[in-house]
């Protein structure tokens, strides 16, 4: 049985597409207590320029990949608790905007070029997903300036949901660059590996 959650999100800053951080937060809020414990996997396949619908099921939603509105694939939990999900772009317009706090969040980041790591200690601004994404972008712009001036949040793989409050120590370490356009960075929260985030260059 499928469940559908219509999401309503603002654009962030001057962007003309919905930002992955806001989609992440809206998806988890929509699922609420239906979110199973355990791993979280989010794969964005293309940009969302209209409001998305979140479709969830205990059964595979692989067939939705062929839908022209398909924009992303998600998985929550594992085993008998596994929930499959997909993001479909609706015709609902995005009518609001919010201030983008990217530069403020990353302002205190410390770069270690030798270890390919960007770190924030006792972050005062931003929720955990914002800090992870913006810190990773800071890392990319500093370490890979020759590849692209712009990077997109493409994939998130977590061992479990991010904490609701920012930890004392957040680090992103660049681990892999594939074909000069797709990357993978390790997420460390208070020294614990929490998963990875991948960015891609715009097509």
């Amino acid at each position: 049985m499928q469940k559908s959650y219509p999401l309503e999100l603002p654009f962030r800053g001057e962007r003309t597409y919905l930002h992955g951080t806001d989609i992440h937060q809206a998806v988890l809020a929509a699922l609420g207590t239906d979110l199973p414990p355990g791993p979280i996997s989010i794969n964005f396949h293309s940009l969302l320029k209209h409001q998305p619908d979140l479709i969830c099921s205990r059964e595979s939603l692989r067939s939705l990949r062929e839908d022209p509105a398909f924009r992303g694939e998600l998985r929550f939990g594992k085993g008998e608790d596994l929930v499959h999900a997909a993001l479909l772009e609706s015709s609902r317009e995005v009518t609001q905007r919010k201030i983008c706090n990217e530069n403020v969040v990353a302002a205190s980041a410390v770069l270690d070029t030798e270890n390919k790591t960007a770190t924030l200690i006792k972050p005062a601004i931003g929720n955990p997903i914002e800090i992870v994404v913006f810190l990773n972008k800071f890392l990319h712009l500093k370490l890979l300036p020759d590849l692209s001036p712009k990077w997109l949040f493409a994939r998130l793989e977590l061992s479990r949901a991010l904490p609701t409050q920012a930890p004392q120590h957040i680090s992103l370490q660049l681990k892999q660059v594939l074909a000069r356009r797709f990357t993978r960075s390790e997420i460390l929260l208070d020294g614990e590996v929490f998963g990875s985030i991948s960015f891609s260059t715009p097509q």
Side-chain angles (χ1 to χ4, degrees):
M1 180 178 176
Q2 294 184 10
K3 294 180 69 175
S4 179
Y5 303 84
L7 306 181
E8 296 295 327
L9 300 166
F11 287 134
R12 184 180 282 256
E14 299 303 313
R15 292 175 177 85
T16 57
Y17 59 88
L18 295 173
H19 200 266
T21 56
D22 297 316
I23 296 171
H24 171 277
Q25 293 296 85
V27 165
L28 296 193
L31 287 172
T33 56
D34 290 335
L35 178 71
I40 290 176
S41 173
I42 300 176
N43 287 276
F44 296 113
H45 289 254
S46 52
L47 297 176
L48 278 153
K49 298 186 177 184
H50 293 81
Q51 299 290 3
D53 290 323
L54 176 69
I55 311 299
C56 296
S57 175
R58 292 289 182 176
E59 305 298 327
S60 173
L61 295 173
R62 188 179 298 270
S63 61
L64 290 181
R65 293 178 182 177
E66 306 304 317
D67 191 311
F70 177 76
R71 298 292 181 268
E73 192 166 20
L74 310 89
R75 291 191 312 276
F76 305 100
K78 59 183 179 180
E80 294 182 354
D81 293 329
L82 180 63
V83 172
H84 301 270
L87 289 167
L88 300 182
E89 188 165 31
S90 74
S91 60
R92 301 190 308 278
E93 297 286 344
V94 178
T95 59
Q96 297 185 341
R97 287 190 177 272
K98 64 186 289 187
I99 294 173
C100 184
N101 56 347
E102 178 179 343
N103 292 335
V104 180
V105 169
S108 301
V110 176
L111 179 69
D112 181 341
T113 55
E114 182 178 353
N115 291 311
K116 299 181 179 179
T117 301
T119 301
L120 273 175
I121 299 173
K122 296 182 179 179
I125 298 172
N127 58 49
I129 188 61
E130 289 176 332
I131 296 171
V132 165
V133 172
F134 295 151
L135 193 57
N136 199 44
K137 184 174 177 182
F138 168 84
L139 184 64
H140 280 58
L141 294 178
K142 294 295 185 181
L143 294 184
L144 307 170
D146 58 317
L147 296 191
S148 177
K150 186 173 183 179
W151 291 90
L152 298 174
F153 174 12
R155 178 181 297 168
L156 185 69
E157 301 285 345
L158 300 172
S159 59
R160 60 188 184 279
L162 292 169
T164 55
Q165 299 295 321
Q168 295 291 296
H169 193 282
I170 300 180
S171 289
L172 274 291
Q173 184 175 34
L174 184 64
K175 289 290 189 179
Q176 198 171 24
V177 181
L178 298 172
R180 296 177 61 83
R181 63 164 302 269
F182 193 80
T183 69
R184 183 178 65 85
S185 299
E186 193 171 73
I187 302 167
L188 295 102
L189 306 184
D190 289 333
E192 177 187 354
V193 176
F194 233 75
S196 66
I197 184 169
S198 295
F199 276 10
S200 66
T201 57
Q203 293 296 293

